Amino acid sequence: MSEPQAKKYTPFVPVDTNLAEFTIQALVLGLVMCVVLGAANAYLGLKAGMTIAATYPAAVIGMALLRLLKGSILEENFARTVGSIGESVAAGAIFTLPAFYIAGLWKDDFASREHYLISTAIMAVGGILGILFVAILRRVMVNDAELPFPESVAAGEIHKAGQGSSSGASFLFGAMIVGALIQAGSQFKVFAAEWAHFISFKATVINLKINKELAERVDVQGGMVLSSPGVSPAYVGVGYIIGPKLACLNFSGGLLAWGLFVPILLYFLAPNMNLPDVNKDPETWLAAATAVWKFIVRPMAIGGMLVGAGFTLFRMRKSLGAGIKRSVGDLQKAAKGQQATAERTDQDLPFKKVLIGLAIASVATFAIYFFFVQSVAPAFVATLVLLIAGFLFAAVSGYLVGTIGSSNNPISGLTLSTLVIAALLMVLIGLKGDVGVTAVLGVAAVVCVSSAVAGEMLQDLKVGHILGGTPWKMEIGDIIGVICFDLFGQCLHIFKMNRDGKGPVKFEIGGAG
């Protein structure tokens, strides 16, 4: 008896429907949002240490403006896709490029034209590589029913609500207003967003000593921290979208971290940390617990996520191979003059052009690393590491985004993993000192940008999958967005330098680091 075939997915806009999508008004709006939201996230990331997904504001702004211009829902989807890519480029840049300055490798002005040119090359190559990797991975990741893509579902519902009845749009904007009021109330201390208090208590412990028949009972002072969950409309919304199963997994992770690992590690590390009496200075203990979580427990969690993502990719190896085989088959059909049979909603960039793009990006990457190290062999090794690690971490990033969303994507963990691998390889080939550190940071920077862009791109492609967008148009739009974000950043840089009297007015190609 044959197994029943899986029901074919039907997007919001049917495949045979011909709607405007890649238009000038959608592209211009998307590019403006790309620069503005990317710059805002760069500031937020440098100030707070994290960025947020630009998909939501880009979806709402694009929907509101394009409805006034009589645009279609596919134009809204396209504008949101282009508008949100700047955030991922900025995230990859701000978490890696400052390391060149911190490590003392860039000893002159951090805002010099030379460093902006280097930053531009890293961001452009990393961003385009991420998009090209996604063109290979999309069929596997986006069509996987086990990945919930919570933020993609939310963005898709925003677009659907705007196209539906007035009650649907009213409900959407009403929920936004309520969430904004709650968030504003917590920021202006109208009510406490969270509550935490240290409670001290006395306890009796048994001290077992050798050569004593009876154990010694000792009275000690102790305490514990009680805290409430944070009042956050964003967390409530994400928890509702991902459902009770994944929400329970997230909660159990926090419970293990703060209820088990942090107390145990702090107990053994406290004697070496010279901490004061817990009842006299509980704030110092809270700071120590936070440090233990940040530098020990969180890296353990990132390692676990990498193992889980690696296992998932291993489990998906057949689907990944089938996707690549299908792309090669389309390339062979094109070589024979035959037309690919893929439907509009399943058409990526042509595989031949993807391979050509990867080759060009590889040459550009080699040139960047050769500029860093002034040696062929290390530059070649760095380029090879980048291509292998970049593709694997693009897939891992897509898996993580599909599970927990772009806002929670631990790009820093992927970057640290790349740093370790690249550093070991550079040491093995004998590249040490400042030159070796520069090469390692260069590899990490490109992989970080590539992974961030890949995750955001897959998230947007999932929204397109839900709504009925055309993948290759969205991929081209994001390539234009990456280039625009870089060029606009350089124009701002030149304006700043001339305003400050640091140089004559002249045009140079570059980007914002």
Side-chain angles (χ1 to χ4, degrees):
M1 187 175 180
S2 61
E3 296 182 359
Q5 295 183 351
K7 185 178 179 181
K8 185 178 180 180
Y9 178 78
T10 303
F12 184 76
V13 177
V15 176
D16 54 356
T17 302
N18 187 17
L19 286 180
E21 185 172 1
F22 194 152
T23 62
I24 295 298
Q25 64 180 14
L27 178 61
V28 172
L29 176 59
L31 293 177
V32 173
M33 291 192 295
C34 173
V35 173
V36 173
L37 296 177
N41 266 284
Y43 173 81
L44 177 64
L46 290 171
K47 184 177 180 63
M50 65 173 293
T51 59
I52 59 173
T55 295
Y56 299 144
V60 175
I61 295 171
M63 179 184 69
L65 294 181
L66 286 173
R67 288 200 69 181
L68 294 176
L69 299 174
K70 308 299 181 181
S72 69
I73 187 173
L74 295 187
E75 286 183 284
E76 297 174 12
N77 173 68
F78 180 81
R80 188 212 69 259
T81 299
V82 178
S84 61
I85 201 64
E87 172 265 325
S88 57
V89 179
I94 62 176
F95 294 146
T96 53
L97 295 179
F100 288 93
Y101 180 75
I102 296 172
L105 302 173
W106 289 354
K107 296 181 173 59
D108 55 346
D109 183 12
F110 184 75
S112 68
R113 285 191 175 93
E114 178 184 351
H115 296 157
Y116 265 86
L117 290 172
I118 297 173
S119 303
T120 299
I122 289 174
M123 288 191 294
V125 171
I128 293 175
L129 276 174
I131 296 171
L132 295 177
F133 289 148
V134 165
I136 300 174
L137 294 168
R138 184 198 62 84
R139 286 191 178 102
V140 180
M141 308 298 291
V142 170
N143 295 335
D144 186 0
E146 295 185 6
L147 296 177
F149 281 95
E151 293 183 352
S152 300
V153 174
E157 291 302 319
I158 291 175
H159 290 291
K160 290 180 181 178
Q163 295 295 316
S165 62
S166 59
S167 60
S170 301
F171 180 79
L172 170 66
F173 285 99
M176 290 174 57
I177 293 172
V178 172
L181 291 175
I182 295 174
Q183 193 69 24
S186 63
Q187 293 295 321
F188 289 101
K189 310 299 181 183
V190 176
F191 56 85
E194 57 183 353
W195 175 88
H197 186 68
F198 182 82
I199 299 177
S200 61
F201 54 78
K202 293 182 178 180
T204 302
V205 298
I206 299 177
N207 184 19
L208 296 176
K209 292 185 178 181
I210 303 175
N211 298 328
K212 278 195 174 183
E213 295 181 359
L214 299 176
E216 180 182 3
R217 294 179 178 272
V218 180
D219 293 330
V220 298
Q221 292 285 341
M224 65 181 300
V225 177
L226 295 180
S227 63
S228 67
V231 179
S232 172
Y235 291 157
V236 174
V238 171
Y240 178 80
I241 291 169
I242 65 178
K245 181 179 179 180
L246 290 176
C248 289
L249 287 175
N250 281 319
F251 175 77
S252 63
L255 191 64
L256 285 172
W258 288 99
L260 180 63
F261 296 136
V262 170
I264 290 178
L265 291 171
L266 189 61
Y267 173 80
F268 287 104
L269 294 175
N272 299 322
M273 299 175 70
N274 298 321
L275 296 176
D277 183 82
V278 66
N279 293 288
K280 294 181 180 179
D281 191 4
E283 295 298 327
T284 302
W285 280 78
L286 291 177
T290 302
V292 169
W293 168 79
K294 184 176 182 180
F295 298 109
I296 300 179
V297 176
R298 190 167 64 171
M300 292 168 55
I302 292 173
M305 295 175 73
L306 289 174
V307 172
F311 174 75
T312 301
L313 291 176
F314 175 76
R315 188 184 60 187
M316 295 167 58
R317 65 191 184 278
K318 293 183 179 180
S319 300
L320 182 60
I324 297 176
K325 182 178 180 181
R326 181 175 177 180
S327 298
V328 174
D330 293 341
L331 178 61
Q332 292 175 345
K333 290 180 179 179
K336 296 178 181 179
Q338 301 176 1
Q339 188 175 2
T341 58
E343 296 177 336
R344 176 184 61 82
T345 56
D346 200 30
Q347 293 178 358
D348 293 286
L349 288 171
F351 192 64
K352 180 179 180 180
K353 294 182 180 179
V354 172
L355 293 178
I356 294 173
L358 288 174
I360 296 174
S362 300
V363 173
T365 303
F366 176 82
I368 294 172
Y369 295 147
F370 183 80
F371 173 80
F372 282 149
V373 301
Q374 297 296 313
S375 179
V376 175
F380 178 78
V381 172
T383 303
L384 189 62
V385 172
L386 164 70
L387 292 176
I388 297 174
F391 181 77
L392 292 178
F393 286 153
V396 172
S397 178
Y399 166 77
L400 295 174
V401 167
T403 304
I404 58 179
S406 178
S407 299
N408 300 313
N409 191 7
I411 294 298
S412 59
L414 303 181
T415 306
L416 290 175
S417 302
T418 307
L419 274 172
V420 173
I421 297 172
L424 291 174
L425 288 175
M426 293 302 164
V427 171
L428 289 176
I429 64 176
L431 194 64
K432 301 179 181 179
D434 289 347
V435 177
V437 174
T438 302
V440 171
L441 289 178
V443 173
V446 176
V447 171
C448 185
V449 175
S450 172
S451 301
V453 168
E456 182 67 37
M457 183 77 226
L458 282 168
Q459 175 165 279
D460 289 331
L461 286 170
K462 182 65 175 183
V463 184
H465 177 72
I466 295 171
L467 298 178
T470 307
W472 71 265
K473 294 180 180 180
M474 299 170 66
E475 291 159 2
I476 291 179
D478 270 357
I479 292 176
I480 298 174
V482 168
I483 297 173
C484 177
F485 185 78
D486 288 349
L487 290 176
F488 187 80
Q490 178 65 16
C491 291
L492 289 180
H493 163 63
I494 296 170
F495 172 77
K496 176 181 179 297
M497 293 193 69
N498 285 279
R499 183 194 63 185
D500 297 340
K502 295 183 178 180
V505 178
K506 64 178 181 177
F507 178 77
E508 295 182 20
I509 298 177

